[in-house]
Amino acid sequence: MSTQSTREYPQSERDWKYVKVEIENGIAWVSLNRPEKRNAMNPPLNDEMVEILDALEVDESVGVVVLTGSGDSFSGGMDLKEYFRDLDDLPYAQQIRKRRSAWQWQWRMLLRYSKPTIAMVNGWCFGAAFTPLVACDLAIAAEDATFGLSEINWAMLPGGNVLQAVIATMNLRDAMYYVTTGDPFTGRKAMEMGLVNEAVPLADLKDRTTALAQQLLSKNPTVLRGAKAAVRQVKRLDWEASDEYLTAKNAQVRLLDPEGGRAAGLTQFLDEKSFRPGLGGYQRNG
Ligand code: ACO
Ligand code: V55
């Protein structure tokens, strides 16, 4: 345990080779950092991302994680040489080992992450980049960013759970169209289809993402963690199971919340009359 830092895992900000991590005012800016290869994801980048997400999850100085890319690209997808061609020549067990670290961070870890995550799509977003994009809770794109499900042009179908991510966000007609044609589309179109929350001019992208991250930082983290987990789970449950789950989840959140946010909110509304949800005014810990 370090004596200079209260952080349990200060290595989250260490010098990574293929990823840049900057922590500022509670926001961890995680940039895929191979701009000369348009941030294509190769096996060592994937290994680093597993370690980084693991470290940031327990880093007390971090409340929100933003995933983005260095230079003019979010990510050009899997590295066609190092992840596909080079792995084809390895024994199957070794291929699986390398593929697992891709899947591990791109959807397994992000889908169940205990802190809110925002994908900030600054530029090119192709193929396997859709998986972490959708596995992040929220997404904001530059309106002129270019998206594409280009797998069809490599005589592949969107594996690595790319298609699962597509179907979780886009409707069947749009999914089928872009998977079969491989046509590129803009950030604006991505917003219209519900693949991202918002599309803004590139010049405003970082400010808008920062404002959204700050809004999330102002919420009760225990409740936020429960709410985002519930959004993912309820989608897969029927009405009876989801009612049971939500009742249990609310009880869990109430028990775990060190701030006692539920009682505080009710007091502000019912007794102090200082908070009206439609008018704002709620003070955390108030
Ligand atoms: N895999 C491997 N290398 C890549 C990838 C990739 N996915 N994307 C870009 N690169 C490399 C290029 O080969 C080039 O390398 P070099 O400088 O050693 O020749 C370098 O990155 C720069 O790329 P350019 O194509 O020169 O850059 P440009 O700005 O003209 O175009 C673009 C960017 C549009 C992203 C283009 O690189 C591209 O189409 N990349 C492939 C995108 C793709 O189809 N990805 C999906 C792969 S399938 C999957 O993810 C499952
Ligand atoms: C893709 C991604 C994969 C994979 C196979 O289409 C195909 C993209 C992230 O891993 O193993």
Side-chain angles (χ1 to χ4, degrees), residues 59-280:
D59 188 327
E60 286 172 11
S61 70
V62 173
V64 175
V65 173
V66 177
L67 178 68
T68 188
S70 297
D72 65 359
S73 185
F74 178 68
S75 172
M78 296 323 291
D79 188 304
L80 292 158
K81 177 177 185 297
E82 293 182 42
Y83 187 82
F84 289 119
R85 186 194 272 166
D86 294 354
L87 291 197
D88 286 348
D89 300 331
L90 289 182
Y92 191 69
Q94 290 182 41
Q95 292 185 28
I96 286 293
R97 153 71 188 80
K98 306 272 186 195
R99 297 209 165 116
R100 192 171 54 224
S101 70
W103 304 335
Q104 190 65 14
W105 81 267
Q106 291 171 353
W107 57 274
R108 285 202 187 95
M109 293 179 84
L110 282 175
L111 280 180
R112 304 204 58 183
Y113 212 59
S114 63
K115 296 175 180 179
T117 52
I118 305 174
M120 182 174 89
V121 184
N122 53 306
W124 308 112
C125 180
F126 280 100
F130 279 56
T131 309
L133 167 72
V134 171
C136 283
D137 302 318
L138 298 167
I140 306 191
E143 55 193 16
D144 294 324
T146 302
F147 293 73
L149 290 162
S150 51
E151 283 89 344
I152 194 82
N153 300 315
W154 308 110
M156 287 187 240
L157 53 86
N161 255 352
V162 172
L163 195 46
Q164 186 70 243
V166 168
I167 284 297
T169 45
M170 290 161 61
N171 74 33
L172 196 73
R173 287 281 173 230
D174 289 331
M176 195 63 91
Y177 184 89
Y178 288 106
V179 166
T180 56
T181 63
D183 278 359
F185 55 90
T186 64
R188 240 174 268 107
K189 180 76 186 171
M191 175 183 65
E192 282 169 25
M193 294 190 294
L195 182 61
V196 302
N197 295 94
E198 287 176 32
V200 299
L202 180 60
D204 301 334
L205 184 63
K206 184 145 191 202
D207 284 352
R208 176 61 192 125
T209 305
T210 304
L212 182 60
Q214 281 167 346
Q215 197 180 349
L216 297 174
L217 285 170
S218 77
K219 306 295 180 194
N220 181 310
T222 311
V223 182
L224 201 48
R225 186 172 70 224
K228 55 169 267 185
V231 170
R232 300 266 184 203
Q233 289 306 317
V234 162
K235 199 165 155 68
R236 339 178 303 151
L237 300 176
D238 63 31
W239 282 66
E240 292 295 341
S242 79
D243 183 58
E244 193 62 37
Y245 168 88
L246 289 168
T247 303
K249 197 73 181 165
N250 254 327
Q252 181 205 41
V253 161
R254 203 172 150 189
L255 180 72
L256 293 180
D257 177 13
E259 297 179 17
R262 186 177 186 273
L266 291 175
T267 296
Q268 288 180 31
F269 185 81
L270 296 171
D271 306 323
E272 298 168 359
K273 299 192 177 293
S274 56
F275 162 56
R276 289 287 173 273
L279 306 174

